[in-house]
Amino acid sequence: MGISVEHYFVLSAILFVIGAYGVISRKNLLIVLMSLELMLNAANLAFVTFSRALNDMTGQVFMIMSITVAAAEVAVGLALVVAVYAHNESLDIDILKLLKG
Amino acid sequence: MLTLFSTAVLFVLLQAHFAAVIQVLVYAGAIMVLFLFTVMFLNLTPEALKFESRNMAFKGSLLLAVLLFVGYFAAMGFQETFLHTLAIPSVSENFGTTEGVGKLLFTDYLLPFELTSILIVVAIIGVVAIAKRRES
């Protein structure tokens, strides 16, 4: 019977949950950012799957928008990681509970 | 990283060739290289990564993850009748090609496309501002 639409959605859900789990449970700032990328990737997969299933290329257009946002987000996020490390000498995410500069 | 490439392969299977190329170029070419560059640039000492992993949060997050998963499938089961009507249709000739996506991107979705360029400019300015403030 091959691969059906549901399989893509299940894979997308699994990827999203793995990413969400990483964001919540990890304490390393870099790993948290990577998990965030994984969540965005899962959303992209759902976009493209819907685009195929409904025979409408709009989903792919928005998937490209989503990738653009992901790229901008990771650039800003990694700049913040560098700033945090230069300031604290650690990537522990619990340091960031202090908002004092 | 393997996941990102595998997703690109799935995009090809879904007849979204342009999306697959963009996925490889942006994720593997830009984002992963940026991550590796940052790890290299930080020159992390082993002491900097020594902090105990969380215990209570671990269990709580596991619970939350399972809840998310179950909730997703509950929502999907609710729409099962909808999904079963989605037999994968045959597609037109330029589905998922650069031509097809580009035509849609520059006609119907021109405004969101321009807005993303503004977003990128804002991101560039923000990153430069963060990097500059560190020096002084």
Side-chain angles (χ1 to χ4, degrees):
Chain A
M1 71 173 240
I3 309 174
S4 69
V5 176
E6 285 91 343
H7 291 104
Y8 286 105
F9 285 131
V10 169
L11 178 66
S12 170
I14 291 171
L15 281 179
F16 188 86
V17 169
I18 291 173
Y21 178 72
V23 168
I24 295 166
S25 72
R26 291 305 189 104
K27 285 181 84 177
N28 190 333
L29 206 49
L30 277 171
I31 308 270
V32 169
L33 270 177
M34 282 186 202
S35 305
L36 216 59
E37 291 301 311
L38 199 61
M39 287 168 76
L40 284 163
N41 209 9
N44 287 343
L45 184 59
F47 263 134
V48 174
T49 310
F50 269 119
S51 155
R52 178 79 171 90
L54 300 174
N55 200 1
D56 186 353
M57 275 187 291
T58 308
Q60 294 185 23
V61 172
F62 277 94
M63 173 254 179
I64 288 165
M65 306 274 177
S66 157
I67 280 189
T68 317
V69 172
E73 169 256 327
V74 85
V76 176
L78 286 175
L80 284 173
V81 166
V82 172
V84 165
Y85 186 71
H87 195 259
N88 293 320
E89 294 289 316
S90 171
L91 288 179
D92 193 342
I93 216 167
D94 282 348
I95 287 173
L96 299 179
K97 69 188 170 193
L98 300 175
L99 278 179
K100 219 161 62 174
Chain B
M1 188 155 168
L2 189 66
T3 315
L4 302 176
F5 278 110
S6 309
T7 315
V9 173
L10 285 179
F11 287 166
V12 173
L13 282 179
L14 283 166
Q15 299 285 320
H17 296 108
F18 182 59
V21 171
I22 291 290
Q23 169 89 6
V24 170
L25 280 183
V26 175
Y27 270 100
I31 292 181
M32 270 301 147
V33 169
L34 207 58
F35 263 111
L36 289 179
F37 178 75
T38 309
V39 171
M40 246 169 48
F41 181 72
L42 286 180
N43 199 9
L44 291 169
T45 53
E47 290 84 44
L49 291 173
K50 252 183 205 155
F51 35 79
E52 69 279 15
S53 58
R54 41 186 69 178
N55 294 321
M56 277 310 287
F58 181 82
K59 286 165 189 149
S61 58
L62 192 66
L63 190 70
L64 188 63
V66 171
L67 277 179
L68 260 175
F69 203 66
V70 171
Y72 188 91
F73 281 106
M76 243 176 60
F78 187 68
Q79 293 183 328
E80 199 173 12
T81 48
F82 166 67
L83 280 177
H84 273 305
T85 59
L86 293 179
I88 293 183
S90 61
V91 291
S92 57
E93 194 163 311
N94 65 350
F95 182 85
T97 59
T98 314
E99 187 192 351
V101 176
K103 212 171 261 176
L104 209 56
L105 197 60
F106 284 106
T107 53
D108 290 354
Y109 297 99
L110 188 60
L111 184 64
F113 180 72
E114 298 293 343
L115 285 179
T116 44
S117 64
I118 294 176
L119 176 80
I120 290 176
V121 171
V122 170
I124 291 171
I125 293 172
V127 168
V128 169
I130 291 169
K132 248 191 132 100
R133 194 176 50 199
R134 232 183 78 246
E135 284 170 14
S136 58

